[in-house]
Amino acid sequence: MNRPAPVQSKLARVLPLFAASLLAGCNMVVLNPAGDVALQQRNIIFISTALMLLIIIPVIVLIILFAWRYRSGNTDATYDPEFDHSTSLELIIWSAPLLIIIALGGLTWWSTHKLDPFRPLERISAGRPVDPAIKPLRIQVVSLDWKWLFIYPEQGIATVNELALPVDRPVRFDLTSTNMMNTFYAPTLAGMIYTMPGMRSTMHAVLNKPGDYKGFSGNYSGAGFSDMKFRLRGLPNADFDRWVAGVKGTVLPLNTANYRLLVRPSEKVAPIHFATVDPDLFRRILQRCVEPGTPCMTDVMRRDQAAGSPASIAQGHASMPQNGKAEGAIFLAPQNKGSGPNVTKPGGPPPGQTASGDKRNRTMSMINPLALPGDSGTARG
C-alpha cells in the first residue's frame, strides 16, 4: 500500500518552483547592459565579486573542515591547549586578504579614472575606437518635479520622459536640475550621475544595442519620485533620423511660457514632444533666470565681482588700498598703527565666585553678550 508523501516533501518540491516563477519575472538590467560603459561597469562587478569569493569560499570551507576535524569525538585530531602562535598560519591569514585588497584598490583606481563620466569616450565597444570624425550627440537633461526634460540643441527639439539615442554614436549629456538634487540613472546605458540646481554635470556614454529600455531617478525627491521614469530608446541611425523628423512634425513649441507650465510639479507624465525649443532655454535653466525679470547667476556674480573689486571698494568705502590686499596690523610700521582700548580683554573680574557652592557659579555659561567693554561682565540667570 502506497502511503501519501509527507507535507515536508511536498513543500520541498513546490517551493523551488514557486521561487523560480518569481525570479522569472526579474530583469537584471545591471547585469545585462546595452551600452559599453554599462558593460565595463558590469565587468567590474564580476571581477570584484570573484576577487572577494577567493577569500570567502576558502574561509567557509575551512570553517566546516575545522569544525568537523576538531570535533570532540575525533580522537585522532591533535589537541594542543598551549598553542598560541604559528608564523605560517599568520602569513596565510594576512597575506591573502592583503593581496585581494591591493587588487581591489588597483581596480578601483583604474576604473575610477577610466570610466569618469566627465571623460570623453575612447571606444564604442571592445576593439572599436571612437571615430574622431563622428561628433558626439549633445543632449541637455533637466530633472523636474517629477519628470525628465531632454533637449536636443543640434536638432532643435525637446522631449519629456522619452530619450532616443542612435546606436553606436557617442553621446554627451549636460545635466542640471530645476528645484532639488536628483540622480539620472539608465542602468543599461551607464552609471548614475547627480543633477543639481545651478550646477551642470556631464556624462559621456554610448548605446550599442537597439531596443526599449528604462531610466529613472535614483535619488528620493518627493511625492512623485516613484514614477519619475523615462523611456530609453536605442534606434539605428536611419530610425533616429525618422524619429527626429516625427518630433519636428508636431506643433508644440518649448518656449518660456510652456516651460513655466511644464516646471510645475506633476506625476506620471506621459511622453511629450516639442517641435521647437528656445536655444537659450537650457542656459537660463542652469543660470536660474527663466522667470522674466530674474537676473542670471553669471550677471549677479559679475555685478558682485565688480562691486567687490579693490578699486570700487576703495572708492566707496575708503577701506582698502588700491595697490593690493590689505596687510594685518602686525605687519604695519609702529607709526602707522592706531591706538585704542583693548575691547577683547575682559574689563572686570570673572562672574563666578571662588567660594565652593556659591549659587552665582551656575550662571557662568550665560555671560551677557551685550556687556560693553569695561563692564563687570555680570552673568545672566
Side-chain angles (χ1 to χ4, degrees):
M1 179 178 179
N2 295 330
R3 305 179 65 179
V7 177
Q8 292 83 354
S9 61
K10 291 182 179 180
L11 288 176
R13 291 195 300 266
V14 173
L15 287 178
L17 295 176
F18 179 71
S21 64
L22 292 177
L23 293 175
C26 297
N27 184 10
M28 303 174 69
V29 293
V30 174
L31 303 182
N32 187 26
D36 184 64
V37 175
L39 176 65
Q40 295 182 68
Q41 293 172 341
R42 185 206 64 179
N43 293 340
I44 292 173
I45 295 175
F46 285 165
I47 296 173
S48 301
T49 303
L51 287 172
M52 290 183 286
L53 289 177
L54 287 177
I55 193 67
I56 294 174
I57 292 178
V59 167
I60 294 176
V61 172
L62 289 174
I63 288 174
I64 298 174
L65 180 62
F66 286 3
W68 174 255
R69 177 174 176 79
Y70 297 102
R71 67 191 187 279
S72 59
N74 186 7
T75 57
D76 296 332
T78 302
Y79 177 69
D80 186 5
E82 304 298 329
F83 174 83
D84 62 352
H85 179 74
S86 172
T87 303
S88 301
L89 285 177
E90 292 288 343
L91 288 175
I92 296 174
I93 291 173
W94 289 106
S95 61
L98 181 61
L99 291 175
I100 292 175
I101 291 174
I102 293 174
L104 287 173
L107 178 64
T108 302
W109 183 90
W110 174 85
S111 59
T112 300
H113 292 81
K114 185 72 173 179
L115 301 178
D116 184 355
F118 285 79
R119 180 176 180 173
L121 299 181
E122 297 179 354
R123 72 181 202 182
I124 299 297
S125 61
R128 299 173 58 193
V130 172
D131 186 354
I134 298 178
K135 184 180 179 182
L137 174 66
R138 288 184 56 218
I139 298 179
Q140 298 165 339
V141 183
V142 183
S143 60
L144 302 94
D145 298 335
W146 287 275
K147 47 196 171 287
W148 294 95
L149 171 63
F150 303 102
I151 300 175
Y152 295 74
E154 297 169 354
Q155 288 74 23
I157 61 174
T159 61
V160 172
N161 286 347
E162 182 177 355
L163 174 61
L165 301 178
V167 173
D168 290 339
R169 181 177 176 183
V171 182
R172 168 179 170 159
F173 295 95
D174 293 320
L175 307 97
T176 189
S177 180
T178 57
N179 185 28
M180 63 183 68
M181 186 169 68
N182 225 303
T183 304
F184 176 83
Y185 187 34
T188 58
L189 178 67
M192 295 184 185
I193 188 166
Y194 282 104
T195 63
M196 293 164 281
M199 299 183 68
R200 180 175 63 186
S201 301
T202 302
M203 184 176 72
H204 292 83
V206 62
L207 199 63
N208 301 120
K209 299 179 182 178
D212 278 358
Y213 310 100
K214 291 183 179 179
F216 53 90
S217 168
N219 193 79
Y220 180 74
S221 57
F225 157 76
S226 300
D227 297 301
M228 192 174 174
K229 304 173 182 179
F230 62 90
R231 179 187 181 189
L232 173 60
R233 303 180 62 186
L235 302 174
N237 288 330
D239 293 343
F240 177 75
D241 294 337
R242 282 192 291 268
W243 177 83
V244 171
V247 175
K248 287 185 176 181
T250 59
V251 296
L252 188 62
L254 184 57
N255 49 28
T256 302
N258 286 336
Y259 174 79
R260 294 176 66 188
L261 297 174
L262 182 66
V263 79
R264 296 175 182 175
S266 56
E267 302 178 27
K268 300 181 180 180
V269 178
I272 305 173
H273 294 167
F274 296 95
T276 59
V277 59
D278 182 352
D280 195 43
L281 180 61
F282 182 79
R283 184 194 68 84
R284 290 190 288 126
I285 295 173
L286 178 63
Q287 298 288 333
R288 303 180 67 79
C289 56
V290 177
E291 292 293 330
T294 304
C296 294
M297 290 195 306
T298 52
D299 298 332
V300 175
M301 295 170 63
R302 190 180 300 111
R303 182 184 60 194
D304 292 345
Q305 185 178 11
S309 63
S312 61
I313 292 179
Q315 293 174 2
H317 305 283
S319 59
M320 180 179 291
Q322 298 187 25
N323 57 354
K325 181 180 178 181
E327 297 288 354
I330 191 174
F331 299 105
L332 297 179
Q335 62 272 18
N336 294 331
K337 293 182 180 180
S339 60
N342 190 337
V343 298
T344 60
K345 183 179 179 180
Q353 303 296 317
T354 57
S356 176
D358 195 296
K359 294 182 178 180
R360 283 174 288 183
N361 288 334
R362 299 181 180 178
T363 61
M364 290 180 63
S365 61
M366 295 291 290
I367 306 299
N368 187 355
L370 300 180
L372 297 176
D375 284 354
S376 61
T378 55
R380 294 189 300 173

